[in-house]
Amino acid sequence: MANFSLKVNGKTQEVDVDPTTPMLWVLRDHLKLVGTKFGCGIAQCGACTVHLGDNAVRSCQLPVSAVGEQSITTIEGLSENGDHPVQKAWLEEDVYQCGYCQAGQIMNASAFLKRNPNPTDTEIEDAMNGNICRCGTYTRIKKAIKNASSISNA
Amino acid sequence: MTLIKTTYNRRSFLKSGSLAGGGMILGFSWLASCKPTPEQVSNIPKEWFDINSFLKIGDNGMVTIMSPNPEIGQNVKTSMPMIVADELGVDWKNVIVEQAPLNTDIFQRQLAGGSQSIRVGWSGLRMAGATAKHMLVAAAADTWQVDASEITVDAGVISHTASNNSAGFGDMASKAATMPVPEEVKLKETNDFDIIGTDRRNVDGPNIITGKPLFGIDIQEEGMMIAMIIHPPAFGMTYKSMNADTVKSMPGIKDVFPIDVYKDDTEKQWSDAGSIDKLVAIVGESTWQCMQAKKALNVEWEESSALESTEGHDEALTKLLNTSSKQPARKDGNVASAFKKADKVIERTYSAPFLAHNTMEPMNFYADVTAERALFNGPIQTPEFLEKTLASRLGMPVEKIDIKMSRMGGGFGRRLYGTFGVEAAVISQHMKAPIKLVYTREDDMTQGTYRPTYKVKYKAGLDKEGNLIAWHVKGAGSNDDLLFENRFPAGAVDNYLAEKFSLETNVTTGAWRAPRSNFVAGAEQAFLDEVAEAAGKDPIEFRLELFDRAIKNPVGEPEKNDYDPVRYAGVLKLVREKAGWDGSQKNGVARGVSAYYCHNSYVAQVLDLATDKKSPKVTKVWCAVDCGIVINPMAAKNQIEGGIIDGIGHATYSEMTFEDGKPQHKNFDTYRLIRHKEAPKEIESFFVDNGIDPTGLGEPSLPPIIGALANALYKATGKRHYNQPFITEKSVIG
């Protein structure tokens, strides 16, 4: 066990955990931030996507010891009131069915749009391909990302 | 207006209605999701009045409506309360939805499965709203001393024009709760609906996009420990022994022990199918610590029955299809002599593998069992049946068992089988502490309860004019005999024979979204396409001719035929019109069509593949649906789109195979699910507007799309596809 000081959603938090513990479980079990979801544990489904700095990463493969000074943003910290353009677009498009994968989809989409504010369909598909939606809301996700891109650019 | 006796369903409604005057208390749901959104907070009523078990009205006119059924992503938590709200006459923006408690004395069929929630719930939900409205009106009539029949209700306002009186629901709620429950109520005419038939966004949407704890796996309780299981590595193996000592001393590990999930005398329910009766449990402080211990633990297993393989399953199914059934499932005319007379005879065999459900949220359940009572919370499609099993296993009356229904991260049939709930109970009982059981993805994918593997052989005979004169189908599946013998084309062919067989295997199987239909529709619709081609007819025309026969002069006793050929033909004509189907193939586009009936709804689809790329890409799907009245078109379309993508994905990419009883895929690195790039670019849905009582939508769009895809792939590649997943036939889309 070791102590780590983590910057999560703008707050500094201390945890005492095994250094190999993936951030996914630090967030869920220790910091009680359960919006980040467990899907596969091997970086194949994208349900656990969070932002490390500005980059979307799979928190199931990110050991707490590798985080250091970098800031972490989870779905709970993406916006104050759930009004990030991507969140608004998700609401508008009524994207979700079961909803379980959507935090990961939203975190991936928001990091992607920051890098590429005016993506083409193919760029969206490429960027989002690592995020599985078992309910099959892919066409709505794509529409929402396009809408979010126009909201942010408005 | 429709007059309906409220005694229509005593079990579902009146029992609660009769309690209304007695001030039945329904507590707020545990679900954080149900808390009002910030802008509503200022509107929170000071007092709530329980009108009946489905709803309560606040003194400010806010209405809380209970959603009785478990939510797996089929959106009943929005659509069921919409039905209540419409009959009640409240403005939807003043409605708060809560997940109802499990109480099958009050709510009927609290189960998510078979696309039946809306169909079965329809009358009871309308009655709940209409009865409450009746009582509000009665309260106003009594207050104003006017005739109730002269009172109108609109968007939460009760008015009597002649006396110039009006009041909000909140003003009358207190008195309404004391009014007698009516023996009969008037229901709205379907064209008077205000909320039903309009787009309403998912009531949990704001909570989903902000990551609120909605799901079973999100549950955190004081003193709760994490539990994991280890199940046998192969079907046919069972627990023998282990050395838990080294693992028990690992950091955070509280205990490691074998459990008997069921005892010999446990009364199992159908929902306990696929259970593994002896498992190893690991309990610890955190998930990661349990995972580490799980990896380190050496468990010995022993063979208890045959270790099966995919090759063996395939051979056994082929063998079954080469035998004859002594008692055919259905026989009309004489197929043998018809085939002799036929100008052309076509015979084809289709197959599909086992499939895992792979809900994105792995199986999990919270349990807190003491000697006095047992509390549960988690994702379960069949809470009523789980409760019965728990009562038997724990030796505790159901009154002492409380199961809360969390939102589910997908169901697809997997959570009909709540053995994980029993596992959680037994682990909690052993630990004398609250635990949350969590499966890893590997546990989830290799546990079983799969969609069965299937094989079906079709044989069709055509006369010189290209008329279908004989149809012989033989179907077989693992622990399942596949066919719906009275569905199309039964009733449309003079000589018809259906034979079905079940192969006993120890690989456990269960319902998987649109059971049986999820395979048989694709096979049948691909075969019909091939037969239509042999007949020299347009595939839509060919089908319409058959429906015409079934309409005008059905074969066999008409009531035996389990479909309505008029509605079936209706969706096919609608999709033909919408897709602009003229039978021609355009450059760079390959088109396929398909139609199917299941779960009481009719679906026809046209699928376009772009063929100008290295691999074909699904560009567009047109989908025509007859599910009667559509409650929430926006959500209905979501279900349709999901079913289409699910069907295309599984038929193209997914399979579970076995060697020596061991599942060969354990996670999404080798078990392929459809992804963004492979999904259709566009899906457009159309509904038949016929005012018929609503039927289900969670499943019906999935089965036929596999036929439409196979038929389009044939146009694109010149090759028919008989074996799923199509990727094994080197057909890649995306």
Side-chain angles (χ1 to χ4, degrees), chain A residues 28-29 44 97 126 138, chain B residues 217 287 638 674-675 677:
Chain A
R28 290 186 57 84
D29 283 356
Q44 291 294 311
Q97 287 181 31
D126 286 343
Y138 295 129
Chain B
I217 205 167
T287 313
N638 206 347
I674 191 168
R675 289 174 181 270
K677 273 191 201 177

Side-chain angles (χ1 to χ4, degrees), chain B residues 665-677:
Chain B
H665 302 284
K666 296 179 174 171
N667 208 323
F668 299 130
D669 50 348
T670 65
Y671 192 107
R672 226 177 129 180
L673 289 176
I674 191 168
R675 289 174 181 270
H676 278 273
K677 273 191 201 177

Side-chain angles (χ1 to χ4, degrees), chain A residues 55-82:
Chain A
N55 296 316
V57 297
R58 307 296 187 231
S59 65
C60 74
Q61 295 299 306
L62 175 68
V64 61
S65 56
V67 175
E69 292 294 303
Q70 301 170 88
S71 68
I72 286 183
T73 309
T74 70
I75 187 74
E76 291 93 341
L78 184 64
S79 64
E80 280 281 314
N81 301 307

Side-chain angles (χ1 to χ4, degrees), chain B residues 50-245:
Chain B
D50 296 313
I51 307 298
N52 57 49
S53 56
F54 280 90
L55 61 97
K56 54 188 173 187
I57 299 179
D59 58 3
N60 65 348
M62 289 297 286
V63 176
T64 294
I65 300 180
M66 295 290 162
S67 182
N69 284 21
E71 174 63 61
I72 56 176
Q74 80 282 46
N75 207 29
V76 289
K77 197 172 165 189
T78 306
S79 51
M80 294 181 99
M82 281 173 70
I83 299 169
V84 179
D86 203 320
E87 287 289 352
L88 175 65
V90 63
D91 193 331
W92 183 247
K93 75 173 193 295
N94 291 326
V95 172
I96 298 170
V97 174
E98 287 186 22
Q99 181 70 53
L102 174 65
N103 188 338
T104 48
D105 286 339
I106 295 173
F107 303 106
Q108 61 180 336
R109 197 183 182 273
Q110 290 185 286
L111 185 150
S115 298
Q116 296 299 305
S117 295
I118 294 293
R119 177 174 168 264
V120 174
W122 176 242
S123 291
L125 294 163
R126 294 182 73 188
M127 222 187 294
T131 305
K133 180 166 93 174
H134 181 103
M135 289 158 75
L136 285 159
V137 168
D142 189 63
T143 304
W144 301 330
Q145 289 298 302
V146 299
D147 191 337
S149 67
E150 294 167 4
I151 290 177
T152 57
V153 171
D154 182 40
V157 178
I158 310 162
S159 311
H160 185 256
T161 315
S163 65
N164 202 21
N165 272 306
S166 90
F169 277 4
D171 306 322
M172 288 295 163
S174 159
K175 187 165 184 173
T178 67
M179 299 309 283
V181 178
E183 279 178 19
E184 52 185 27
V185 287
K186 282 174 183 166
L187 298 181
K188 281 183 169 181
E189 293 296 342
T190 54
N191 53 11
D192 289 334
F193 288 142
D194 302 311
I195 297 171
I196 292 167
T198 60
D199 289 342
R200 303 291 164 168
R201 289 184 170 76
N202 191 315
V203 295
D204 271 339
N207 299 313
I208 291 169
I209 58 148
T210 50
K212 296 287 184 303
L214 301 172
F215 301 93
I217 205 167
D218 299 339
I219 291 163
Q220 309 265 359
E221 296 286 350
E222 194 63 36
M224 179 188 91
M225 291 184 279
I226 300 293
M228 293 200 141
I229 51 114
I230 302 179
H231 66 63
F235 294 92
M237 304 275 270
T238 190
Y239 174 79
K240 188 181 173 194
S241 64
M242 66 175 164
N243 183 354
D245 293 348

Side-chain angles (χ1 to χ4, degrees), chain B residues 400-583:
Chain B
K400 297 194 170 178
I401 297 171
D402 181 28
I403 302 176
K404 290 192 164 60
M405 296 179 271
S406 68
R407 186 178 186 86
M408 284 175 256
F412 313 106
R414 177 62 187 85
R415 290 184 163 105
L416 293 167
Y417 310 100
T419 60
F420 43 85
V422 188
E423 292 161 13
V426 175
I427 296 170
S428 171
Q429 193 177 41
H430 176 99
M431 296 302 293
K432 299 186 172 59
I435 60 104
K436 178 172 67 181
L437 170 69
V438 179
Y439 280 20
T440 62
R441 175 57 56 193
E442 289 81 3
D443 295 332
D444 194 281
M445 203 180 285
T446 59
Q447 190 271 353
T449 333
Y450 301 117
R451 192 283 297 270
T453 178
Y454 290 122
K455 223 167 235 245
V456 65
K457 191 193 278 185
Y458 289 99
K459 190 174 174 185
L462 293 165
D463 68 11
K464 283 203 173 59
E465 286 75 44
N467 297 308
L468 184 63
I469 57 167
W471 182 275
H472 182 187
V473 55
K474 282 179 165 184
S478 53
N479 305 321
D480 184 20
D481 58 15
L482 180 64
L483 297 181
F484 299 102
E485 61 272 14
N486 293 318
R487 289 201 187 157
F488 181 78
V493 193
D494 283 319
N495 304 290
Y496 175 95
L497 180 64
E499 300 177 86
K500 50 189 193 179
F501 308 89
S502 178
L503 171 70
E504 218 173 283
T505 73
N506 62 11
V507 175
T508 57
T509 56
W512 190 103
R513 194 177 195 177
R516 299 180 175 184
S517 298
N518 58 41
F519 168 64
V520 83
E524 167 202 295
Q525 291 295 310
F527 183 64
L528 268 178
D529 203 69
E530 206 166 341
V531 175
E533 187 181 48
K537 292 179 182 172
D538 173 79
I540 293 184
E541 279 305 321
F542 183 69
R543 286 170 173 81
L544 289 175
E545 278 176 21
L546 291 169
F547 290 132
D548 204 40
R549 168 70 206 270
I551 293 164
K552 289 183 180 144
N553 181 23
V555 181
E557 301 145 37
E559 64 272 17
K560 210 171 146 191
N561 295 330
D562 175 25
Y563 64 96
D564 178 344
V566 176
R567 294 178 77 182
Y568 223 137
V571 288
L572 205 45
K573 286 175 187 166
L574 181 60
V575 85
R576 178 172 66 179
E577 175 208 322
K578 296 295 182 186
W581 177 283
D582 56 9

